[in-house]
Amino acid sequence: MTLLVISTHPIQYQAPVYRTVQQQFGVPTTVIYASDFSISGYRDGEFGASFAWDTDLLSGYTSHFLSRVATSGPQSYATVTAAGLAPLLKQLDFRAAFSSATSRASSRRVLGGAAHGRAAAAARRSRRPQFRAILWETSGS
């Protein structure tokens, strides 16, 4: 069974969880990130500071990026989109998926609003009959 996680960007307190799930519990884990801005560097409006995490946030599990800052991709949380998510879902082999968003609003940001429904539909249409789209939010709000 492969676990698929969909997130806006690499987050310093989530990456170790994905690594642990794969390495210590033996569950292959793939994370789709909408952007790499948190490791490329960005200006955080809430903190009023520029950040680029200097710790390894990508090793120990498989990751894919829908866009990258270096190729004119989103440079902040406010500008991420789900462009390219549905085709990537068709390519990946997974049995369970979830959005790491902590609210419905951030889930819409991660999945691009209507893209949530399209992603779930694309997953259901996949050629993996044992898979049923399991997309939920961690907060339940």
Side-chain angles (χ1 to χ4, degrees):
M1 177 183 111
T2 297
L3 172 65
L4 177 69
V5 180
I6 303 168
S7 185
T8 53
H9 60 287
I11 299 172
Q12 78 281 5
Y13 55 83
Q14 291 179 352
V17 173
Y18 308 145
R19 189 177 300 122
T20 298
V21 168
Q22 178 156 319
Q23 293 179 343
Q24 292 184 12
F25 295 103
V27 177
T29 304
T30 297
V31 182
I32 299 174
Y33 292 113
S35 176
D36 67 346
F37 69 82
S38 62
I39 55 177
S40 296
Y42 71 105
R43 175 89 179 152
D44 188 300
E46 289 183 32
F47 288 107
S50 295
F51 290 97
W53 293 108
D54 59 358
T55 185
D56 178 14
L57 299 179
L58 301 176
S59 69
Y61 63 94
T62 302
S63 60
H64 297 274
F65 290 91
L66 298 178
S67 63
R68 294 187 179 268
V69 170
T71 56
S72 300
Q75 297 182 20
S76 72
Y77 175 80
T79 59
V80 297
T81 72
L85 179 60
L88 184 54
L89 288 174
K90 290 179 183 177
Q91 295 173 19
L92 297 175
D93 184 23
F94 59 95
R95 300 260 322 261
F98 77 95
S99 165
S100 66
T102 57
S103 69
R104 291 194 192 283
S106 57
S107 180
R108 282 190 288 277
R109 165 110 30 235
V110 172
L111 298 173
H116 181 282
R118 289 194 305 270
R124 284 191 300 272
R125 287 192 307 271
S126 72
R127 290 182 222 127
R128 296 177 303 276
Q130 75 280 8
F131 174 76
R132 297 296 177 258
I134 306 169
L135 295 167
W136 67 89
E137 299 169 347
T138 57
S139 71
S141 60

